[in-house]
Amino acid sequence: MNQPAFRAPKGTFDFVPPRGEAILAVRDAMAEPLRHAGYGYIETPSFEETALFARGVGESTDIVTKEMYSFTTRGGDEVTLRPEGTAPVLRAALENGLHRGALPVKLWYSGSYYRYERPQKGRYRHFSQVGAEVLGTEDPAVDAELIVLAMDAYRSLGLTGVHVVVNSLGSEESRPAYRAALQEYLRGLDLDEDTARRVEINPLRVLDDKRPEIQAALADAPVISDFLSAADRSHHDMVRSLLTDAGVPYRDDPRLVRGLDYYTRTLFEFVHEGIGAAQSAVGGGGRYDGLSELIGGPRLPSVGWALGADRTLLAMEAEGLPLPGRSGVDVFAVPLGEEAARTLFGVVAELRRAGVRADMSVGGRGLKGAMKAADRSGARLAVVIGERDLAENVAQVKDLESGEQQGVALADVLGHVTKRLASPA
Ligand code: AMP
């Protein structure tokens, strides 16, 4: 076989049918609970000024130090393909003055994200997320609402193996004391140079180190839950009890941290065990009460999540669920001869306009080839027109399952087909 001259760049791949329809259906399912709950759709550019991410996501994070696709434009601007959606959405909300209207502002978005990662199953350089952000309220009810809406999305896809893990990172009231205690503990460990540097810059990030020897050394590290202020604790307890009220079981993990620096208080991750330990998060998010100020805005306490569509599809495959999303048609038209093709072209256009999923054989195929195409299309009905039919102004409507066939006046094809499709096969 000839090798193609071009391949998708390393760490990226294509979605071709039927997985193409499946990834679209996954995104739709993630968006549906949000639209249902009154969230408005927002779309931002796929690239932003590099400084937005450096400041917003955090200078010492892996994303900013190792994973960004950054470049200088021909005009000399420093830009980066977005590695995540929260900083851009907040930038857009501030720029468009959404925060000056009624609060909270509830937004959702869907798109492509780019990270220069080491490619492996579930970890790609181009991936897609559906995200949600609630801007401008400290109310723990919205933290809980977002978690419930995400779990509803996973459930609507038929997934049973997704669970949610929650933690609180505390606010500025609690974090400094915890940070100091953690730093003191970590300085007592025998760490490599890179990790030791991280202890000084951003000790919380060390908790996220996946190496088993580091995880073992962290067994006795202080946990944030012992350092939460009364207000932080009551916020966290409220989130947890609202989840219980909504019938969403959760697991506490006092060591949960995430790869972005902007989180405060509530932090959560949606986990699926079926897609490999290092990539088990199918989604995640948290509260980021200080991010707006970090990027030059007013105080705007907010919370949000992003769900990974690619990994969610992998999780569905791991559970053996059928691929979501419908493709194919219900009616397939088979013309025999040029004149019949012209007539059927109009009939098919009419069927489609009336909402019937219909396709047609092209290229002047003979009956056998065209009927094969009809079978492949998944259609229930074939509409066949031969020369005799043309002369009589009829079409033959054939049930592709039973093989039974019936002549129908051309003018009645739409009505006949609609009625047949409405009754169970
Ligand atoms: P994050 O923005 O890191 O919180 O990621 C949110 C979700 O996006 C994760 O839980 C994953 O499902 C997905 N995700 C993040 N990075 C990647 C990647 N490199 N490849 C595929 N999915 C990803």
Side-chain angles (χ1 to χ4, degrees):
M1 214 174 76
N2 278 343
Q3 288 290 322
F6 294 105
R7 296 179 165 277
K10 187 173 173 198
T12 74
F13 55 88
D14 309 304
F15 283 95
V16 301
R19 278 185 113 242
E21 270 81 27
I23 195 80
L24 212 51
V26 166
R27 291 189 205 118
D28 283 349
M30 289 170 168
E32 183 50 30
L34 300 168
R35 308 180 78 164
H36 217 74
Y39 287 61
Y41 177 71
I42 183 166
E43 199 165 296
T44 66
S46 345
F47 57 89
E48 296 274 350
E49 248 181 85
T50 299
L52 174 69
F53 299 114
R55 257 198 262 166
V57 177
E59 299 274 10
S60 72
T61 58
D62 280 354
I63 292 182
V64 171
T65 55
K66 300 184 199 154
E67 296 174 1
M68 295 211 299
Y69 281 89
S70 301
F71 57 100
T72 310
T73 66
R74 289 171 195 274
D77 297 326
E78 300 295 333
V79 301
T80 293
L81 297 185
R82 58 186 178 192
E84 63 98 45
T86 301
V89 164
L90 190 52
R91 191 272 306 141
L94 294 172
E95 184 173 340
N96 290 281
L98 304 188
H99 61 300
R100 289 194 292 268
L103 296 177
V105 182
K106 296 183 173 185
L107 302 169
W108 76 275
Y109 55 91
S110 171
S112 287
Y113 297 84
Y114 312 86
R115 294 182 195 173
Y116 194 78
E117 305 234 36
R118 197 166 60 78
Q120 49 196 300
K121 187 178 178 197
R123 195 174 288 280
Y124 312 118
R125 291 181 173 174
H126 166 260
F127 55 96
S128 68
Q129 293 181 336
V130 171
E133 316 287 348
V134 179
L135 310 180
T137 178
E138 276 192 88
D139 194 324
V142 297
D143 309 34
E145 168 177 300
L146 280 167
I147 294 173
V148 172
L149 292 172
M151 291 304 277
D152 287 349
Y154 291 123
R155 202 182 23 225
S156 77
L157 286 166
L159 282 164
T160 52
V162 178
H163 55 261
V164 58
V165 182
V166 301
N167 190 20
S168 172
L169 289 183
S171 64
E172 274 313 302
E173 266 172 34
S174 318
R175 202 88 77 87
Y178 174 61
R179 189 186 142 101
L182 182 62
Q183 245 168 355
E184 196 181 306
Y185 176 87
L186 295 173
R187 282 180 191 138
L189 299 177
D190 183 20
L191 298 168
D192 60 90
E193 209 174 300
D194 261 6
T195 313
R197 197 171 317 121
R198 193 172 285 163
V199 170
E200 300 312 315
I201 304 170
N202 192 345
L204 263 73
R205 300 260 345 109
V206 180
L207 297 179
D208 208 19
D209 198 316
K210 300 277 191 283
R211 288 174 294 176
E213 66 275 18
I214 302 281
Q215 281 305 315
L218 290 172
D220 297 321
V223 288
I224 180 76
S225 40
D226 293 334
F227 289 78
L228 291 182
S229 69
D232 287 348
R233 158 119 342 261
S234 109
H235 183 101
H236 194 47
D237 287 345
M238 183 55 100
V239 173
R240 292 156 78 238
S241 75
L242 287 171
L243 289 179
T244 303
D245 291 351
V248 171
Y250 60 86
R251 217 172 61 204
D252 288 304
D253 180 357
R255 285 185 205 288
L256 178 68
V257 287
R258 310 199 63 244
L260 304 95
D261 276 354
Y262 49 60
Y263 290 118
T264 52
R265 288 191 162 174
T266 313
L267 192 70
F268 49 87
E269 206 152 73
F270 304 99
V271 178
H272 193 282
E273 305 301 347
I275 51 172
Q279 285 74 242
S280 62
V282 288
R287 185 163 267 289
Y288 48 92
D289 292 343
L291 179 57
S292 170
E293 285 150 297
L294 267 181
I295 63 168
R299 178 171 163 75
L300 195 68
S302 305
V303 54
W305 53 233
L307 311 184
D310 310 74
R311 280 191 205 167
T312 299
L313 186 55
L314 289 179
M316 294 183 68
E317 286 165 339
E319 286 195 16
L321 292 166
L323 282 182
R326 272 210 325 176
S327 60
V329 293
D330 293 320
V331 174
F332 197 87
V334 175
L336 303 173
E338 256 173 60
E339 199 48 39
R342 293 189 65 145
T343 304
L344 268 181
F345 189 86
V347 172
V348 166
E350 189 192 9
L351 288 172
R352 288 173 178 160
R353 280 185 205 121
V356 176
R357 301 171 346 132
D359 194 7
M360 172 171 171
S361 170
V362 294
R365 268 183 292 206
L367 182 62
K368 217 168 130 202
M371 289 313 284
K372 246 192 210 154
D375 280 334
R376 263 200 311 271
S377 77
R380 267 176 68 188
L381 302 174
V383 177
V384 186
I385 300 188
E387 260 165 45
R388 258 241 318 271
D389 302 315
L390 264 185
E392 292 170 11
N393 257 324
V394 297
Q396 303 299 324
V397 177
K398 182 172 179 181
D399 189 311
L400 288 171
E401 201 128 296
S402 65
E404 147 214 345
Q405 185 168 312
Q406 178 180 351
V408 177
L410 273 183
D412 297 337
V413 169
L414 173 61
H416 177 87
V417 159
T418 318
K419 211 154 74 205
R420 291 276 292 272
L421 291 176
S423 64

